[in-house]
């Protein structure tokens, strides 16, 4: 018998007694009177992210990363100097200082942004870059993770990742370090989607 | 509310330290843009003073065909007071942070109930969900393999790597690969394995197993890490600054990541509906492992299945809150198929899980989502360190998982518990952990091939729990310890914790009951 058939036969033979129906999932309310942007930004900051309420991308990049040499952009709002479409292997991106991408949506409850493969062009750019800047449309924020998982993205994309703040570790004595392996900082810029783009 | 304990509070409203001498004003950890101290991830909620260096106590000594002597290793951990205090403090802090998250979510108990019910449903229809997962994953272009046990898993992965001529594999933390002895196997066939999680990398370089399923190096002080890195990575042995150590690791690991031939991850969840698997990390190291090399292999235990994508809305909400007291991990990544030009393999591993499914008393342990909350709250675990269990899994969840891998070797572990029920109360998927521990005691006591005398069993949990200062702190924080302890257990020899000096070498002067009455359940006495 193949391993597959043996395992399937064993789990069927050992099926636990009793009736265990699959529950319906209720949606629990999320208390946010003044809209979702404020709790989103607050929760993002608590996770070590940096929220920017708006402004021009050029100015934000210049102010935050004056030293940046290599900027890879996956958004029409900013022209970087590294074309992600021309990357032949992910490790070509090892020298990227700043990557700029657009999130599909945000989650107020946690301050997370969803970055699918199509938004990244090369998945690895979101981890190999030293810093990550994410554009998020203020009207693309859902209240909680429960609503987030009702969205279609999870059925469409081969890869999609919630980023909530930068790469972090406190594996040594509980001291928090940003930039454990991936990006050292994550900024989320509130930036409406341009109509037509 | 279940799992809730009212902690002593300091003036700033945060829970008071268990060990006041660890207090400090600043630990140099990351701050937010407003200058405020951050405590996301596994960071402590208040800064702790680094204790002066002290030799690291090592884990249980393993002998062929002999039960692990948890007691002996626990004693050595207790005898290293700086390690023991820091360990206790950090884990208790994770537990307090978890409570804070729970209080912030009115639907907490509903979510736990849902998580438990979804897992029970999946496990009792596991054959169908595994088939659905397999066919969806295949339709998405993923290669799916099946492994009956650890050896088969290792052979399959070796085969995939050999087909690609892969010499170096980068991987993220996975308890399953610990369980199956993956790194040792790969070393034996000449394939280099590089762990990319900081804590796991420390443990790999020090040739130790992870001592905790979420924070693998939590038993180590910064001075221990500085020693390991100086020895293995050539860093400055005199520099034990945490920023320096973390940055050195980043710099030394990155070239290995960039040049790796293959990447490996585990999975926290596998979704039958879409063939997706989900990996949660704080460092982003799983995403590097998966997205930089051309080949990605994911090792997934068959119990990780859940039916629907929407079920993630329950589990992701619970996982990091329970594990770290953080609303979510920094990265929650959903893999549904290989990227263009990449190749993706899944190995579905049984390794004893299907057999456990058939054990009426123990099958619910398969609901476990490996959050570690039961470990953080366990007084024995916090005081003895994970390596004292001498097993892949330690703490309460370890007590009920390990004996099913090797009954004889781990026969003493189910006795390393107070049965106070705190583990059960914090478990996000409502596993009746302390009842299963008790059930294992019965199984092991009735089993003749173990070679344990009743006295030796009693001694097993003796050391940690017979030190008044040690268990005082633990009990002071354990919710309703007595309420949860039925009378019959108190007089039962299987419950070694209440044996009160009958067979214990180091019995407390004051019995637990006397102490409990005198201090109003620990509330009137600082730990
Ligand atoms: S048994 Fe429960 S509390 Fe312990 S690790 Fe598993 S899920 Fe978490």
């Amino acid at each position: 018998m193949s391993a597959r058939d043996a395992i399937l036969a064993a789990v069927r033979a050992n099926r636990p007694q009793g009736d265990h129906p699959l529950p319906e999932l209720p949606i629990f309310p999320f208390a946010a009177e003044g809209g979702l942007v404020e709790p989103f930004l607050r929760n993002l900051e608590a996770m070590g992210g940096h929220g920017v309420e708006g402004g021009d991308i050029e100015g934000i990049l210049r102010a935050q990363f004056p030293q940046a040499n290599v900027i890879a952009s996956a958004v029409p709002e900013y022209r970087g100097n590294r074309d992600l479409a021309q990357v032949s292997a992910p490790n070509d991106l090892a020298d990227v200082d700043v990557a700029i991408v657009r999130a599909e949506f945000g989650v107020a409850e946690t301050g997370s942004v969803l970055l699918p493969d199509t938004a990244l062009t090369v998945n690895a750019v979101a981890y190999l870059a030293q810093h990550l800047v994410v554009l998020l449309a203020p009207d693309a924020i859902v209240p909680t993770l429960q609503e987030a998982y009702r969205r279609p993205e999870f059925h469409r994309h081969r890869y999609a990742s919630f980023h909530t703040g930068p790469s972090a570790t406190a594996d040594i004595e509980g001291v928090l370090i940003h930039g454990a392996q991936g990006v050292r900082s994550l900024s989320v810029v509130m930036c409406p989607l341009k109509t037509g783009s | 509310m279940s799992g809730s304990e009212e902690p002593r509070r300091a003036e700033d409203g945060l829970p008071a330290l268990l060990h006041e001498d660890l207090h400090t004003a600043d630990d140099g950890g990351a701050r937010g843009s407003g200058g405020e101290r951050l405590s996301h991830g596994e960071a402590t909620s208040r800064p702790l003073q680094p204790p002066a260096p002290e030799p690291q106590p090592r884990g249980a000594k393993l002998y062929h065909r002999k039960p692990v002597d948890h007691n002996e290793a626990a004693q050595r951990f207790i005898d290293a007071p700086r390690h023991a205090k820091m360990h206790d403090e950090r884990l208790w802090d994770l537990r307090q942070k978890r409570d804070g998250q729970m209080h912030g979510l009115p639907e907490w108990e509903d979510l736990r109930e849902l998580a438990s019910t979804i897992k029970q449903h999946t496990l009792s229809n596991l054959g169908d969900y595994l088939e659905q997962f397999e066919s969806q994953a295949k339709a998405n272009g993923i290669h799916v393999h099946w492994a009956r046990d650890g050896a088969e898993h290792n052979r399959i992965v070796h085969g995939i790597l050999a087909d690609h001529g892969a010499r170096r594999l980068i991987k993220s933390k996975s308890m399953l690969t610990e369980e199956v002895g993956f790194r040792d196997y790969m070393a034996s066939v000449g394939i280099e394995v590089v762990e990319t999680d900081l804590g796991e990398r420390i443990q790999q370089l020090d040739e130790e197993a992870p001592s905790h399923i979420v924070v693998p190096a939590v038993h180590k002080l910064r001075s221990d890490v500085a020693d390991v890195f100086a020895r293995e990575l050539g860093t400055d042995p005199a520099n034990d600054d945490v920023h320096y150590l973390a940055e050195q690791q980043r710099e030394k690991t990155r070239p290995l990541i960039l040049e790796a031939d293959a990447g490996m991850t585990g999975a926290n969840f596998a979704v039958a509906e879409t063939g997706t698997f989900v990996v949660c990390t704080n460092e982003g190291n799983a995403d590097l492992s998966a997205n930089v090399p051309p080949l990605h292999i994911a090792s997934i235990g068959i119990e990780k299945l859940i039916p629907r994508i929407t079920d993630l809305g329950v589990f992701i909400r619970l996982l990091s809150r329970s594990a770290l007291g953080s609303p979510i991990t920094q990265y929650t990544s959903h893999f549904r198929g290989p990227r263009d030009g990449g190749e993706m393999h899944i190995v579905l591993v049984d390794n004893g899980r299907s057999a456990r499914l058939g054990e009426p008393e123990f099958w619910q342990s398969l609901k476990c989502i490996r959050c570690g909350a039961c470990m953080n709250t366990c007084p024995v675990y916090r005081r003895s360190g994970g390596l004292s269990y001498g097993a892949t899994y330690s703490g309460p969840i370890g007590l009920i998982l390990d004996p099913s891998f090797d009954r004889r070797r781990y026969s003493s572990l189910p006795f390393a518990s107070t049965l106070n029920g705190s583990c059960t109360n914090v478990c996000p998927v409502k596993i009746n952990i302390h009842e299963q521990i008790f059930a294992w005691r019965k199984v092991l006591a009735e089993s003749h091939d173990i070679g344990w005398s009743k006295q030796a069993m009693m001694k097993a949990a003796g050391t940690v729990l017979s030190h008044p200062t040690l268990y005082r702190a633990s009990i002071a924080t354990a919710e309703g310890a007595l309420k949860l302890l039925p009378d019959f257990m108190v007089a039962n020899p299987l419950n070694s914790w209440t044996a009160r000096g009958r067979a214990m070498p180091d019995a407390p002067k004051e019995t637990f009951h006397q102490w409990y009455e005198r201090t109003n359940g620990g509330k009137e006495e600082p730990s």
Side-chain angles (χ1 to χ4, degrees):
Chain A
M1 209 192 305
S2 71
R4 176 186 186 276
D5 294 344
I7 293 169
L8 289 173
V11 298
R12 290 195 163 112
N14 290 341
R15 185 183 195 279
Q17 298 272 305
D19 190 23
H20 301 285
L22 183 63
E24 289 294 316
L25 298 178
I27 287 273
F28 298 100
F30 181 74
E33 257 127 62
L36 296 172
V37 172
E38 188 277 325
F40 170 84
L41 289 172
R42 183 164 26 87
N43 292 323
L44 169 69
E45 295 269 342
M47 291 292 287
H50 182 49
V52 185
E53 286 195 56
D56 87 295
I57 311 294
E58 184 96 41
I60 292 167
L61 288 177
R62 213 177 311 115
Q64 270 199 50
F65 310 106
Q67 315 283 345
N69 288 321
V70 183
I71 299 184
S73 174
V75 297
E77 288 86 348
Y78 184 82
R79 261 184 82 89
N81 55 10
R82 175 63 56 88
D83 187 353
L84 287 168
Q86 299 302 316
V87 170
S88 61
N91 56 9
D92 289 354
L93 296 168
D95 60 346
V96 172
D97 294 307
V98 181
I100 171 162
V101 302
R102 179 175 282 279
E104 206 76 12
F105 65 88
V107 185
E109 172 191 6
T110 50
S112 309
V113 285
L114 188 80
L115 306 181
D117 45 12
T118 46
L120 297 170
T121 317
V122 181
N123 296 346
V125 76
Y127 309 94
L128 287 174
Q130 298 293 319
H131 301 275
L132 185 61
V133 176
V134 177
L135 309 186
L136 174 66
D139 59 1
I141 300 176
V142 301
T144 69
L145 286 166
Q146 284 216 290
E147 273 110 328
Y149 281 114
R150 293 182 182 227
R151 304 249 323 189
E153 284 82 357
F154 300 99
H155 298 261
R156 274 187 203 148
H157 295 281
R158 284 175 287 170
Y159 176 75
S161 181
F162 281 124
H163 285 213
T164 315
S167 165
T169 186
D171 271 341
I172 305 174
E173 287 191 2
V175 177
L176 185 61
I177 311 273
H178 287 166
Q181 294 283 12
V183 300
R184 297 175 191 274
S185 77
L186 173 85
S187 305
V188 179
V189 183
M190 290 299 153
C191 173
L193 201 57
K194 275 197 227 128
T195 43
S197 72
Chain B
M1 202 180 306
S2 139
S4 167
E5 294 162 18
E6 219 20 77
R8 292 185 300 115
R9 300 227 164 242
E11 276 169 18
D12 58 8
L14 285 171
L17 291 176
L18 287 177
H19 307 282
E20 285 299 340
D21 51 326
L22 294 178
H23 173 82
T24 186
D26 187 17
D27 64 357
R31 291 181 176 270
S33 37
E36 73 287 6
R37 185 178 181 280
L38 297 171
S39 62
H40 62 88
E42 64 275 34
T44 53
S45 59
R46 56 171 74 244
L48 300 180
Q49 174 111 281
E54 143 192 275
Q56 187 198 324
R58 295 294 169 171
K61 295 171 185 146
L62 299 181
Y63 302 100
H64 183 62
R65 298 280 311 149
K66 262 183 80 173
V68 170
D69 192 349
H70 172 263
N71 195 45
E72 183 272 336
Q75 181 65 59
R76 280 187 287 110
F77 194 76
I78 290 164
D79 289 342
R82 293 170 184 142
H83 284 82
K85 261 187 205 172
M86 193 71 171
H87 188 260
D88 190 28
E89 192 72 56
R90 277 186 65 196
L91 295 174
W92 183 243
D93 185 59
L94 288 177
R95 165 63 213 276
Q96 300 289 319
K97 285 171 70 188
R98 171 241 173 238
D99 286 0
Q101 290 291 333
M102 175 186 74
H103 289 306
L105 217 51
E107 60 267 36
W108 186 260
E109 286 307 314
D110 295 320
L111 290 172
R112 285 179 78 218
E113 184 60 35
L114 283 167
S116 171
T117 318
I118 294 166
K119 279 283 186 183
Q120 285 175 344
H121 167 82
T122 318
L123 289 166
S124 45
N125 297 277
L126 193 54
D128 296 348
Y129 283 122
L130 283 167
E131 283 187 318
Q132 188 188 5
F133 177 77
E134 179 195 41
S135 73
Q136 289 298 325
K138 280 182 160 172
N140 300 335
I142 304 176
H143 303 270
V144 181
H145 312 258
W146 301 73
R148 273 165 287 216
D149 56 24
E152 191 164 24
H153 164 270
N154 293 345
R155 276 198 308 274
I156 290 169
V157 176
H158 182 202
I160 301 167
L161 294 173
D163 285 348
H164 290 76
R167 309 300 304 163
R168 183 192 293 140
L169 175 78
I170 51 170
K171 71 183 280 291
S172 66
K173 192 160 65 64
S174 142
M175 288 312 295
L176 178 59
T177 57
E178 298 291 333
E179 194 183 301
V180 302
F182 179 71
R183 285 204 305 264
D184 286 345
Y185 178 89
M186 285 293 132
S188 75
V189 297
I191 291 175
E192 182 190 357
V193 175
V194 180
E195 296 287 349
T196 54
D197 173 82
L198 172 61
E200 190 71 12
R201 182 67 174 156
I202 294 168
Q203 291 309 96
Q204 179 188 23
L205 292 172
D206 204 19
E207 294 182 18
E208 272 189 336
S211 78
H212 187 288
I213 61 179
V214 176
V215 275
V218 69
H219 61 297
K220 276 184 160 70
L221 299 178
R222 63 181 69 189
S223 47
D224 304 325
V225 178
D227 286 350
V228 178
F229 280 11
R231 197 175 70 225
E232 302 296 328
L233 299 178
T235 60
D236 176 2
N239 193 345
D240 68 0
D241 179 79
V242 176
H243 288 267
Y244 169 76
L245 295 170
E247 184 64 21
Q248 284 291 313
Q249 188 259 172
R250 176 185 170 105
E251 291 301 312
K252 308 263 182 206
T253 308
R254 180 153 283 225
L256 305 177
I257 292 173
L258 292 173
E259 298 307 321
D261 304 307
M264 180 181 238
T265 66
N268 295 87
F269 305 98
V271 185
E273 178 190 14
T274 54
T276 304
F277 58 95
V278 182
V279 186
C280 305
T281 72
N282 282 325
E283 301 186 10
N285 59 309
D287 297 282
L288 283 165
S289 303
N291 287 317
V292 177
L295 171 64
H296 175 191
I297 304 168
S299 298
I300 307 178
I302 54 172
E303 86 286 14
K304 298 286 181 196
L305 268 282
I306 56 172
R308 307 164 292 199
I309 281 283
T310 46
D311 294 324
L312 288 168
V314 173
F315 289 101
I316 299 296
R317 293 188 94 194
L318 285 169
L319 177 61
S320 184
R321 286 184 167 100
S322 299
L324 306 170
S326 224
I328 190 168
T329 48
Q330 309 293 117
Y331 299 99
T332 301
S333 298
H334 309 75
F335 296 90
R336 206 181 122 258
R339 62 180 191 269
D340 289 338
E343 194 173 311
M344 190 180 276
H345 293 253
I346 287 172
V347 188
L348 291 168
V349 186
D350 183 339
N351 204 32
R353 288 158 173 79
S354 63
R356 202 175 314 142
L357 199 58
E359 296 174 344
E361 273 174 308
F362 301 120
W363 73 273
Q364 301 238 6
S365 66
L366 293 164
K367 294 190 293 186
C368 176
I369 57 172
R370 307 283 191 267
C371 73
C374 57
M375 308 164 77
N376 302 342
T377 201
C378 174
V380 179
Y381 176 82
R382 291 206 319 273
R383 301 299 171 132
S384 57
L387 298 180
S388 66
Y389 295 73
T392 300
Y393 300 100
S394 51
I397 183 62
L399 305 186
I400 59 179
L401 294 186
D402 296 321
S404 63
F405 292 115
D406 186 336
R407 233 169 236 222
R408 185 181 167 83
R409 168 165 277 190
Y410 302 122
S411 56
S412 71
L413 294 188
F415 297 87
S417 165
T418 66
L419 296 179
N420 69 28
S422 181
C423 47
T424 301
N425 287 339
V426 298
C427 178
V429 288
K430 293 185 125 177
I431 299 171
N432 55 337
I433 308 170
H434 72 299
E435 288 167 17
Q436 291 198 28
I437 295 171
F438 188 71
W440 265 115
R441 289 184 186 181
K442 279 193 289 185
V443 169
L444 293 165
E446 284 158 16
S447 163
H448 292 299
D449 64 339
I450 283 171
W452 268 76
S453 72
K454 208 176 264 178
Q455 271 197 340
M457 282 184 190
M458 300 233 210
K459 244 180 83 179
T463 302
V464 175
L465 301 166
S466 61
H467 282 58
T469 48
L470 295 181
Y471 81 49
R472 217 184 277 143
S474 57
I475 298 305
T477 51
E479 169 195 41
L482 278 185
K483 266 189 301 184
L484 291 161
L485 206 62
D487 280 348
F488 78 92
M489 282 193 196
V490 176
N492 193 310
L494 291 173
N495 182 13
S496 50
W497 172 64
T498 45
R500 273 185 306 227
R502 263 184 290 158
M504 285 190 285
D506 211 347
K509 304 275 181 301
E510 184 180 37
T511 68
F512 171 71
H513 290 280
Q514 289 162 346
W515 168 81
Y516 192 89
E517 303 228 311
R518 179 171 64 74
T519 61
N520 187 19
K523 290 194 190 75
E524 287 159 22
E525 183 178 51
S527 50

